[in-house]
Structure formats: structure tokens, C-alpha cells
Amino acid sequence: MGSTAIIGYIVMLVPSFFISPGLIGKIFAARDERSIKIGTSLNGLVQLIFAVIPVLIGMAAFANFPDLTRADLALPAAMKNMMPFAAACVALAAIFAAEVSTADTVLYMLAGSITNDLYKRFINPAISDKKLLFYSRLVSILCGVLGVILALKLESIISALTIFYSLMSVSLSAPLLFGLFTKRANNFGAILSALTGVILTLYLTFFTETHAINFGFAVLNASTCGIILSFIVMSIATIFARKI
């Protein structure tokens, strides 16, 4: 895979476990601080244990089917040819449940961010709860249709997940961390850092052949470069811009 891909996955995936609006929403919905600590600790422990399972399945699939043309076919091949029928059915049902849960969370994130965080806060603060609910449902439907279209157009699941986690990490990492650890963080810096990071990431992903920048000492992929730029912009804005 190479160091560039490994560093890129670390930079892309690690922030997503503490900046995801879906996860943050669940934390704010907790009953008290103790529930947050216990819930997040147990969730992290379970995910850490579970993370080993796909790796073992992938290794087993590679050992038995070394000629697979696509990496995302490893799990279906292992389920079909290496598992008892009953176990394969349970595993397939679990995967389907996880995908539905993920889709539900993403739609919740988009609907909440677009309608409540953007539209209500900056465009129409006086909107009623009834209209806000209507717009949330409308946004959920539109985003769901767009998600289906993208799923049909993208080459693989890995491509879709890479785009999603890259843009989420690039746009939210710097604003969230600066907002948590310094009182000098401001809206202007958060918006500017998110925009510049996303623009650079999209440019390197879709308009360059290498999808990376060679700095001489290291080759960094699109998402890594986007996150670095967003932190630089956020730092400059935090130091020099007035708080707005």
C-alpha cells in the first residue's frame, strides 16, 4: 500500500471518530456527563475489538482467493465460499443493519446541518418548528436520492467512503479542535479553513493525476494536504482575525 496511503488513511479516519456530527449529536443527547464517559468508553472498546474482525476476514479471503480483481469483493467471497449458510445469513443481515444505520446517521447529519445550523441560523432565524421539520424531511429525501445516484456512479464502496470521510475530516477537524481548546477561535476562521481545505482536497482528487503533493521529504495525499491547509488557515485566522 505504501506510506502515503497509510498516512492518508490515518489522517482521514482517526478524526472522524471524534468530529462526526452524528456521534456528537448522540453525546449531547446523553442524560449526564457520567453517561457520556461510560457510553463513549464502552463504544470505543467494542469498536476496537470489532476492528480486528474485518482484517482477519480479509487475510483469510486473500489467502484463499488471491486472484480477486477487486478488494471490496473479499467479504462477499468469504461469506459465500468459507462460511456456513446460516452464519453467512446472520453476517449479511448484520452488514445490512449497519449500512442502514450509517445511512440514517448521515441523513440526520445533513438534515440537521443544512436546516438548523445553516438555514435557521443564517437565513431565516424566525422559522417555525413545523416548517423546520418540513424542510428537514425535504432535505433528507433529496440527500437520499443524491446518495443513491452517487452509489450507482462511484466505482466502489471504498471510493464512496474515502470521499465522505475525507471531506468530513478536512472540513470539521480544525474548527472543532480550535473551538474546543482556544477561546480565540472565530466563525470566519472556521468557515475559511473548511472551504480552503475542501477545495484543495477536491482539486487534488479530481483534477490531478497523482492525487497527492510531493514535499520532498514525504508524499501526502489529497485528504492529508487538505487537513494540513485547514489547520494552517484556522491558525492564521485565530491569531489575526477579530472574533466574530
Side-chain angles (χ1 to χ4, degrees):
M1 178 179 286
S3 59
T4 300
I6 294 174
I7 294 173
Y9 276 122
I10 292 174
V11 173
M12 177 181 67
L13 293 175
V14 170
S16 66
F17 284 94
F18 59 85
I19 65 173
S20 168
L23 299 177
I24 294 175
K26 291 179 175 64
I27 289 176
F28 277 102
R31 180 177 55 189
D32 51 36
E33 184 177 348
R34 182 174 180 272
S35 300
I36 294 175
K37 292 180 178 179
I38 295 176
T40 52
S41 299
L42 292 177
N43 185 52
L45 179 61
V46 171
Q47 291 200 33
L48 184 62
I49 296 173
F50 176 78
V52 179
I53 298 176
V55 177
L56 295 178
I57 295 175
M59 293 170 63
F62 180 75
N64 286 273
F65 316 107
D67 297 326
L68 281 176
T69 56
R70 291 172 52 180
D72 52 354
L73 294 177
L75 180 59
M79 291 174 60
K80 179 180 179 182
N81 300 287
M82 299 174 60
M83 297 175 64
F85 179 76
C89 289
V90 173
L92 183 61
I95 293 172
F96 179 76
E99 294 298 332
V100 172
S101 173
T102 301
D104 168 77
T105 302
V106 172
L107 290 178
Y108 150 72
M109 289 163 45
L110 292 172
S113 298
I114 294 174
T115 58
N116 192 68
D117 298 338
L118 295 179
Y119 182 77
K120 181 179 179 180
R121 182 172 183 180
F122 297 105
I123 300 176
N124 187 7
I127 186 174
S128 65
D129 291 341
K130 185 177 181 179
K131 286 188 176 181
L132 188 65
L133 178 61
F134 170 77
Y135 288 139
S136 297
R137 291 171 174 172
L138 182 62
V139 169
S140 297
I141 294 173
L142 294 177
C143 290
V145 172
L146 180 60
V148 172
I149 295 174
L150 289 176
L152 295 174
K153 295 295 183 180
L154 293 173
E155 297 179 357
S156 64
I157 296 175
I158 295 177
S159 300
L161 290 175
T162 299
I163 294 173
F164 170 73
Y165 282 112
S166 294
L167 295 181
M168 185 173 69
S169 298
V170 169
S171 60
L172 298 180
S173 294
L176 180 64
L177 291 178
F178 274 80
L180 287 175
F181 294 106
T182 174
K183 295 181 179 180
R184 294 175 60 88
N186 53 80
N187 294 340
F188 173 76
I191 295 172
L192 186 62
S193 66
L195 287 177
T196 54
V198 167
I199 290 173
L200 178 61
T201 302
L202 292 176
Y203 173 76
L204 293 177
T205 300
F206 295 106
F207 298 102
T208 61
E209 295 182 358
T210 59
H211 310 311
I213 296 180
N214 188 349
F215 288 92
F217 62 90
V219 180
L220 303 181
N221 66 2
S223 59
T224 306
C225 294
I227 288 180
I228 292 176
L229 178 61
S230 68
F231 271 92
I232 293 175
V233 172
M234 190 70 190
S235 300
I236 295 174
T238 301
I239 294 173
F240 294 104
R242 64 184 180 88
K243 191 170 183 179
I244 56 176

